[in-house]
Amino acid sequence: MALMPNKTKYRKVHRGRVKGFATRGNTVAFGDFGLQSLDAGWITGRQIEAGRIAANRITGGQGKIWIRVFPHKPVSGKPAETRMGTGKGEVEFWAAVVKPGTVLFEVGGVPEEKAKLALKRVAHKMPIKVRMVRRQPTT
């Protein structure tokens, strides 16, 4: 089950660069505990899916898991030892662009110890540094 958009306006996009900190999606909004990125980078659809499976195995069907990022960016590549020219390569995978502070996953409805273990397993699947955060109490 590859995560990718159903349809896009353009097939291929420039690589771009990730600047600054996340101003949106940087707080725990749905669950009780979340996994927040500390670095900027790309997270592939496969890595997101691997994190989802790891979290589901630990929670054992109890509670709920929210995935807060989605891979919208097509990343293309050309084969090794190919001559220059002949256009841009084919899309190889889809990636989510993540800024520092973005909440990637959220877990709710499970005790703190189980949530901590689940998010730790998810953190091992991520290509960037992450930390566990909890929901701020509303006043």
Side-chain angles (χ1 to χ4, degrees), residues 13-138:
V13 300
H14 291 269
R15 295 174 77 85
R17 63 179 197 220
V18 188
K19 290 172 28 175
F21 293 91
T23 55
R24 289 184 278 187
N26 57 2
T27 58
V28 179
F30 302 101
D32 302 320
F33 304 96
L35 199 66
Q36 188 179 47
S37 68
L38 297 175
D39 294 336
W42 292 347
I43 300 178
T44 68
R46 286 182 171 204
Q47 290 164 340
I48 295 169
E49 180 66 10
R52 183 192 69 81
I53 291 167
N56 273 335
R57 286 203 175 163
I58 295 299
T59 56
Q62 302 168 337
K64 184 152 172 51
I65 296 160
W66 289 268
I67 302 171
R68 297 282 307 273
V69 290
F70 185 82
H72 289 289
K73 184 182 194 69
V75 180
S76 63
K78 294 189 75 156
E81 299 180 12
T82 305
R83 292 185 178 203
M84 291 288 104
T86 71
K88 193 170 166 72
E90 290 305 309
V91 173
E92 293 198 343
F93 61 92
W94 292 82
V97 180
V98 172
K99 290 183 173 186
T102 305
V103 175
L104 308 174
F105 287 83
E106 290 186 23
V107 178
V110 292
E112 183 176 357
E113 290 304 313
K114 202 168 235 189
K116 197 177 280 190
L117 184 61
L119 292 175
K120 188 175 181 181
R121 293 279 170 91
V122 174
H124 283 293
K125 312 287 184 196
M126 295 296 116
I128 57 176
K129 285 185 183 172
V130 292
R131 70 176 176 186
M132 184 179 144
V133 290
R134 57 171 40 102
R135 178 193 283 272
Q136 295 297 322
T138 55

